[in-house]
Amino acid sequence: MSNNNQNDQPNNTPGGSHPDYIEGGRRRRRGPRRDGKNNSSNRSAVSESTDLTTSEDLAASNGFDADVYEDEAALAEGGIKAVGSKRIIPFMKLEKPMAIFSILMVLISIGALFINGLNLGLDFTGGVSADVKYENPVEQTEVIQSLEKSGFDDAVVQYLGGTTELLVRLPPQSDNVAGLNESLGKALDLPGNNAEISNVNIIGSQVGSEVYLSSLIAIVTALGMMMLYVAVRFQFKLAVGALLALVHDAVVTLGVFALFQFPFDLTVLAAILALIGYSLNDTIVVFDRIRENFRRVRDASPRQIIDLSLTETLRRTIMTVSTVLVVVLAMLFLGGAGLYWFSFAFFIGLIAGTYSSTYISSSIPLALGLSRDDFVVKVKPEFQEEVVSFNDPKAFED
């Protein structure tokens, strides 16, 4: 009876034809388990599990190191590589092309400033300023056209709180205030809408020169104080990068105004000062992350640390720039003539500042030899514990 059962048992040896065999008293299956369900679903599950094979398993099966395989695969996907467990964008890979581009932009801007010069407005060159009030609301273009018909060219008209009160600024005129009031009053009168001049101020060229000099002193002082802040708050090498980035932003903005001869007045100067503060704020965020990563991440080169820091702050930079850009564009197209050149200067500086915070302020410290030693707090020699060795002669006596 037992012999018949043994003979009736199928061949389960490893060389047999049955899909299952017995090895060490345990049955092992070669194919997927059949549970009575649709075989196509089982095959699809097997294929999905095969597709979900991790890159580490694939690298190990091919005899490669998993980390090297991850880096090579990430680089093949679009220039993204990994440091530790984080993937970073290699910003510094374009360091040299961007440096050449920045140098060309600065040289063109400086050349435009020396050759063309700035088209200084009435705030710097002097002129006539008059407060005008109309009986009915009036448009700025109507006032400018009426002044041009009377011989007052290059007039600047701005609203003062409403559509009936305006500020009219003109280039330098004659010093006869009485005759100027009479001729200006006739030029400002519109059909069915008379104008009343409440105040006329004549600004001399000497006052304009003093304003121009004070503006330059304000810009230089702001740059110097911000460099001092970064040097004390972070590190001197980072302060040099921040200063050069801010100078780059200001020079490029001034170069655009000099190249195209856009009017440069106090509103544009205010935009440049605001731009310096905004650009430094974005740079400070990047510097704080650079310092943190230099102290936290080990076994990484300074270039990788900077790439990692820029990648981690990229989302914040995009959100901040997008928010500010919406406000600037709203002022540019909806703010009227009074805010037009302010918003235009800030728009140019916003683009230059975002670019300089990524490359100039970070690549300059890297070129100066920025390393982890610049951020690690070192113990002073007077606070280090002295190692003293004491040998008792009696301890060696029998």
Side-chain angles (χ1 to χ4, degrees):
M1 186 69 177
S2 61
N3 293 334
N4 294 333
N5 293 336
Q6 293 178 358
N7 294 332
D8 295 337
Q9 187 175 358
N11 186 9
N12 292 331
T13 60
S17 59
H18 196 275
D20 300 339
Y21 63 90
I22 298 176
E23 181 181 1
R26 175 179 293 179
R27 171 174 290 182
R28 178 172 297 179
R29 298 182 180 273
R30 292 183 177 178
R33 182 182 298 276
R34 299 182 182 272
D35 52 0
K37 298 181 180 180
N38 189 4
N39 293 336
S40 60
S41 62
N42 294 333
R43 287 193 297 269
S44 62
V46 174
S47 62
E48 290 178 0
S49 62
T50 305
D51 294 336
L52 293 177
T53 304
T54 60
S55 57
E56 290 84 356
D57 297 337
L58 182 59
S61 63
N62 294 332
F64 297 104
D65 184 72
D67 296 334
V68 176
Y69 185 85
E70 284 284 347
D71 292 341
E72 293 180 352
L75 286 171
E77 291 177 0
I80 302 177
K81 56 184 178 180
V83 172
S85 59
K86 294 184 177 180
R87 297 206 175 166
I88 63 175
I89 302 174
F91 288 97
M92 292 297 104
K93 187 177 182 180
L94 301 176
E95 178 185 5
K96 292 183 179 180
M98 291 301 178
I100 296 174
F101 176 75
S102 299
I103 293 174
L104 291 177
M105 290 291 295
V106 171
L107 291 179
I108 293 174
S109 300
I110 293 176
L113 288 172
F114 276 99
I115 296 175
N116 297 338
L118 291 173
N119 183 15
L120 298 177
L122 301 179
D123 298 322
F124 300 108
T125 60
V128 178
S129 175
D131 296 334
V132 183
K133 184 176 181 180
Y134 283 90
E135 296 177 355
N136 301 318
V138 65
E139 294 291 336
Q140 294 174 320
T141 55
E142 296 178 359
V143 178
I144 294 175
Q145 292 175 359
S146 177
L147 289 172
E148 289 178 350
K149 291 179 180 179
S150 301
F152 294 99
D153 298 328
D154 299 329
V156 177
V157 179
Q158 297 177 350
Y159 286 120
L160 294 177
T163 58
T164 59
E165 297 181 0
L166 295 92
L167 174 64
V168 177
R169 293 186 296 176
L170 299 171
Q173 306 292 325
S174 62
D175 295 334
N176 188 358
V177 180
L180 181 61
N181 284 339
E182 183 179 356
S183 59
L184 188 58
K186 294 180 180 180
L188 290 173
D189 287 336
L190 300 176
N193 194 2
N194 295 327
E196 179 183 356
I197 301 176
S198 59
N199 187 20
V200 175
N201 296 319
I202 298 178
I203 303 174
S205 59
Q206 183 178 359
V207 177
S209 301
E210 293 178 356
V211 174
Y212 184 72
L213 181 60
S214 300
S215 303
L216 293 179
I217 294 175
I219 293 177
V220 174
T221 303
L223 293 175
M225 295 303 294
M226 290 180 179
M227 179 182 178
L228 179 62
Y229 167 76
V230 177
V232 175
R233 181 71 173 82
F234 295 96
Q235 213 273 340
F236 180 75
K237 297 175 183 178
L238 294 178
V240 174
L243 177 64
L244 293 179
L246 295 178
V247 171
H248 169 271
D249 301 340
V251 169
V252 169
T253 305
L254 292 174
V256 171
F257 274 77
L259 184 63
F260 298 99
Q261 288 296 290
F262 295 143
F264 184 86
D265 53 12
L266 287 179
T267 58
V268 179
L269 176 63
I272 293 177
L273 292 175
L275 170 67
I276 291 175
Y278 170 81
S279 180
L280 181 67
N281 177 64
D282 195 21
T283 304
I284 289 293
V285 174
V286 177
F287 284 175
D288 186 69
R289 188 57 59 90
I290 288 175
R291 180 180 59 181
E292 178 184 351
N293 288 332
F294 264 113
R295 294 176 177 177
R296 179 175 57 90
V297 180
R298 304 295 178 88
D299 299 331
S301 64
R303 185 179 299 271
Q304 291 175 330
I305 293 295
I306 292 179
D307 286 339
L308 176 62
S309 303
L310 292 174
T311 303
E312 291 177 345
T313 57
L314 179 61
R315 180 179 299 178
R316 182 259 178 199
T317 301
I318 294 176
M319 294 177 62
T320 305
V321 172
S322 302
T323 304
V324 177
L325 188 60
V326 170
V327 178
V328 171
L329 292 178
M331 291 191 299
L332 182 63
F333 295 104
L334 304 176
L339 295 175
Y340 181 81
W341 293 115
F342 172 86
S343 55
F344 182 80
F346 203 92
F347 174 76
I348 299 298
L350 182 65
I351 299 175
T354 305
Y355 155 77
S356 64
S357 299
T358 304
Y359 286 99
I360 298 178
S361 61
S362 300
S363 60
I364 295 298
L366 185 63
L368 294 177
L370 188 68
S371 63
R372 186 173 180 271
D373 296 335
D374 296 324
F375 301 98
V376 176
V377 179
K378 298 181 181 179
V379 181
K380 296 183 178 180
E382 56 267 23
F383 294 104
Q384 292 181 353
E385 295 183 357
E386 183 180 0
V387 179
V388 179
S389 60
F390 177 72
N391 295 328
D392 188 2
K394 297 181 179 180
F396 298 96
E397 295 179 359
D398 295 336

